[in-house]
Amino acid sequence: MSTPPHHYVTASDGQRLAVRTRGNPDGPTLLLVHGYPDNSSVWDAFAAEFTADHRVVTYDVRGAGLSTAPEERSGYRLDQLADDIATVADHVSPDAPVHLVGHDWGAIQSWHAVTEPRHAHRFASYTAVSGPDLDHAGHWFRTRPDGVRAALRQAVRSGYIGFFHLPAVPEAAWLTGVGGLALSALERLGGGPHTPARRGTRDYLNGLALYRANMARRLLQPTERRTDVPVQVLAPTDDAFMIDRLQSNAGRWVTDLRFHRFHGGHWTLRSRPAAVASRVRALVGEIESGRPRPRPALTAQRARRHGGAFAGQVAVVTGAGSGIGRSLCFELAERGARIVAVDIDGPAAERTAELAGLLTPGAAAQRVDVTDAAAMDKLAAWVRDEYGVPDLVVNNAGIGVAGPFLRTSAQDWERVVDVNLWGVIHGCRAFAPMMVAAGGGGRLVNTASAAAYLPSRVYAAYATTKAAVLMLSRSLRAELADHGVGVTAVCPGLVDTGIISGARLSGLGEVSAAKDRLNRLYRLRGYTPDKAAARIADALDRAPEIVPVTAEAHVGLLLSRLSPGALRAAARLAPPV
């Protein structure tokens, strides 16, 4: 893949920056900023995804590639690097703002540019790939909003920064080839680039000044840097250098944030450029269309919320009109997600979306019957058009059926299978393909039940559907793992959701009395949908295979593995209904 010819642009301090332009001169302008120890050639495969309908501009950061290098370390400070970005933007697109994309150190300096009031108007949007704002990172380490463990995990991954501050040792590592071997190994994580990087010795050596001129002063004495520029943060699932929480923390400082994971490692923009390009193309298209997007007023409380684990993400939840589905919508919105509330009860879904929108603006409601495959496909297409590919899909809609097998009608069997099993299948079939096509990183969550592994003489129909959902989730998890899409089965125990009130009961005596007894049992258990939603949201950050909810769900899962005979014996006992 050939690199286009360059021309020079003079920076504010006299350094000469080698700039390259390619693509459609009539399309929106993308300005791509590379990281360390790369030069602008790292963008070649990515740029090829856009040249038909976008104007693509790359340049060698000072000290890299064909650009000149400052003699003093101060020439690499972030204020100057941000000025360089603005200078190039002014040169290539003097009459219109550009869409900025940065990777690694290119993302760090681009963050500094979009959070600089003098420069922010030059950028129509900004996409950061594997690189935080250093001031934001400094605040994150000092306040530790995601806990000490997360801060320690990031500190371990950032250990190389201390090495780069050692005098002469990093230079020796690069010159002897030892550093190059270590870098090649790290590049392979998450499916490394298929072609060697075109890096020169000066790229390795000069770029060390980026760390030495900026890291200590920015991390130890961070300032508050905010922006109204629409920002998209892309986080590879197998990034060797950064954890998700540090990057999603940007929601505390950005009024219009999108946060997406994608399957791959730190240099995926070289090995699988389409995964990154699809997200960038979606953002640029949204901004260029001029469609308004709700923006929250970042009060202190909202700033804390919007820096949560789901900041900037889109979550689709079925069965959102009540119970765990509604509570989960609120919990995810509280943690920064935009919610699409789906339910067969349209007004209930609208009420959920209305309340979720008070927590994070941009929520929407859709009335959909999950048993209708065509309707679910239509929902998925609508979500993709309005929000882009969702980051989280929760197939939660379900109904209850209780009674002995011999007293359960064929119609009841068909209905519970349609909603509890086919509803999940339709949701997975509608959304999984687009999540894979988007490069992975998304998550499917299917609501099963502790009944999936706790047999009972009076819940045969219900337990059968939930056991099927559990096995579907396990099988799908194995299938989609190579695509970077996670699948989790949620298995609640006795949660007071109100499901009994709408359940079909057969052979359990007078129906209303049986429902009263069951509802009383659930109320006495005292486990609310809000507690269940918090438990689920906490667990999703780890993307486990199964999330048992309530103590009896945990104990039942353990017994199903250690003593299935005891569960078979218990299944023969008459339940308290």
Side-chain angles (χ1 to χ4, degrees), residues 432-449:
M434 68 172 67
M435 296 172 106
V436 170
R443 288 170 286 188
L444 292 167
V445 178
N446 299 327
T447 300
S449 168

Side-chain angles (χ1 to χ4, degrees), residues 119-206:
H119 301 323
H121 69 283
R122 296 298 298 118
F123 310 111
S125 72
Y126 169 47
T127 297
V129 186
S130 298
D133 180 284
L134 289 188
D135 291 273
H136 298 171
H139 284 290
W140 184 82
F141 273 113
R142 294 177 71 178
T143 60
R144 296 182 294 280
D146 298 304
V148 174
R149 180 179 297 181
L152 289 175
R153 285 175 56 213
Q154 182 57 55
V156 170
R157 297 195 187 195
S158 300
Y160 68 95
I161 295 174
F163 173 75
F164 284 164
H165 279 77
L166 297 175
V169 178
E171 286 87 346
W174 292 128
L175 291 172
T176 59
V178 174
L181 291 174
L183 181 61
S184 295
L186 290 171
E187 283 185 309
R188 296 190 187 99
L189 295 177
H194 302 297
T195 57
R198 300 200 301 273
R199 301 178 178 123
T201 301
R202 68 194 306 268
D203 299 330
Y204 294 107
L205 300 182
N206 291 339

Side-chain angles (χ1 to χ4, degrees), residues 395-574:
N395 293 302
N396 171 75
I399 60 173
V401 171
F405 175 84
L406 297 179
R407 301 289 296 275
T408 303
S409 69
Q411 290 82 3
D412 285 343
W413 269 97
E414 290 171 357
R415 180 60 179 162
V416 74
V417 169
D418 280 348
V419 177
N420 290 6
L421 178 56
W422 275 109
V424 174
I425 293 172
H426 293 327
C428 292
R429 285 179 57 84
F431 286 99
M434 68 172 67
M435 296 172 106
V436 170
R443 288 170 286 188
L444 292 167
V445 178
N446 299 327
T447 300
S449 168
Y453 45 79
L454 293 175
S456 169
R457 59 188 285 174
V458 294
Y459 296 114
Y462 180 78
T464 296
T465 62
K466 294 303 185 178
V469 168
L470 177 57
M471 187 52 68
L472 167 67
S473 301
R474 284 174 156 171
S475 300
L476 196 57
R477 180 182 178 91
E479 178 181 344
L480 298 183
D482 290 342
H483 300 286
V485 176
V487 183
T488 295
V490 174
C491 295
L494 295 176
V495 179
D496 188 14
T497 64
I499 190 174
I500 297 301
S501 298
R504 295 277 296 177
L505 273 60
S506 303
L508 297 176
E510 202 275 320
V511 172
S512 62
K515 287 187 176 182
D516 287 343
R517 290 193 297 272
L518 284 171
N519 278 322
R520 186 163 55 250
L521 174 64
Y522 276 74
R523 286 194 298 270
L524 287 173
R525 174 64 181 85
Y527 205 99
T528 66
D530 290 347
K531 289 176 65 176
R535 160 78 177 125
I536 294 166
D538 287 341
L540 288 181
D541 189 46
R542 303 187 304 275
E545 180 183 54
I546 302 176
V547 180
V549 180
T550 72
E552 62 272 14
H554 281 274
V555 172
L557 181 61
L558 182 63
L559 288 175
S560 71
R561 294 167 174 172
L562 299 181
S563 184
L567 294 183
R568 289 195 296 270
R572 300 176 63 181
L573 301 176

Side-chain angles (χ1 to χ4, degrees), residues 142-400:
R142 294 177 71 178
T143 60
R144 296 182 294 280
D146 298 304
V148 174
R149 180 179 297 181
L152 289 175
R153 285 175 56 213
Q154 182 57 55
V156 170
R157 297 195 187 195
S158 300
Y160 68 95
I161 295 174
F163 173 75
F164 284 164
H165 279 77
L166 297 175
V169 178
E171 286 87 346
W174 292 128
L175 291 172
T176 59
V178 174
L181 291 174
L183 181 61
S184 295
L186 290 171
E187 283 185 309
R188 296 190 187 99
L189 295 177
H194 302 297
T195 57
R198 300 200 301 273
R199 301 178 178 123
T201 301
R202 68 194 306 268
D203 299 330
Y204 294 107
L205 300 182
N206 291 339
L208 291 169
L210 295 169
Y211 294 88
R212 295 165 178 172
N214 295 292
M215 280 294 179
R217 63 195 303 264
R218 290 292 172 183
L219 293 179
L220 298 178
Q221 296 179 321
T223 61
E224 291 197 0
R225 301 187 67 88
R226 304 184 183 277
T227 186
D228 291 326
V229 175
V231 174
Q232 174 173 242
V233 174
L234 301 182
T237 55
D238 299 309
D239 197 321
F241 307 110
M242 296 190 65
I243 67 171
D244 290 353
R245 290 297 186 90
L246 175 58
Q247 299 175 83
S248 64
N249 180 65
R252 302 172 191 272
W253 311 98
V254 177
T255 58
D256 188 4
L257 176 73
R258 301 145 182 84
F259 177 88
H260 304 295
R261 297 177 179 87
F262 66 94
H263 182 46
H266 191 75
W267 277 277
T268 301
L269 62 88
R270 283 174 50 214
S271 60
R272 296 173 58 241
V276 183
S278 65
R279 289 292 190 181
V280 173
R281 182 178 290 276
L283 175 60
V284 172
E286 178 187 339
I287 300 302
E288 291 293 319
S289 72
R291 287 183 295 175
R293 172 177 155 104
R295 296 189 181 192
L298 278 184
T299 62
Q301 181 180 6
R302 284 190 183 273
R304 287 193 297 272
R305 177 186 307 135
H306 285 236
F310 296 92
Q313 298 186 40
V314 175
V316 179
V317 182
T318 68
S322 62
I324 292 176
R326 169 172 279 188
S327 293
L328 187 57
C329 286
F330 298 157
E331 186 68 30
L332 295 173
E334 179 72 25
R335 302 184 188 207
R338 286 188 294 160
I339 301 299
V340 178
V342 180
D343 202 281
I344 195 170
D345 183 342
E350 290 171 2
R351 180 59 175 162
T352 297
E354 178 185 358
L355 295 174
L358 297 177
L359 298 170
T360 294
Q366 289 287 298
R367 182 193 179 281
V368 178
D369 181 352
V370 298
T371 68
D372 185 338
M376 288 298 289
D377 289 341
K378 184 177 179 180
L379 168 69
W382 179 86
V383 171
R384 182 180 54 206
D385 291 343
E386 293 296 321
Y387 289 87
V389 177
D391 304 279
L392 179 65
V393 175
V394 183
N395 293 302
N396 171 75
I399 60 173

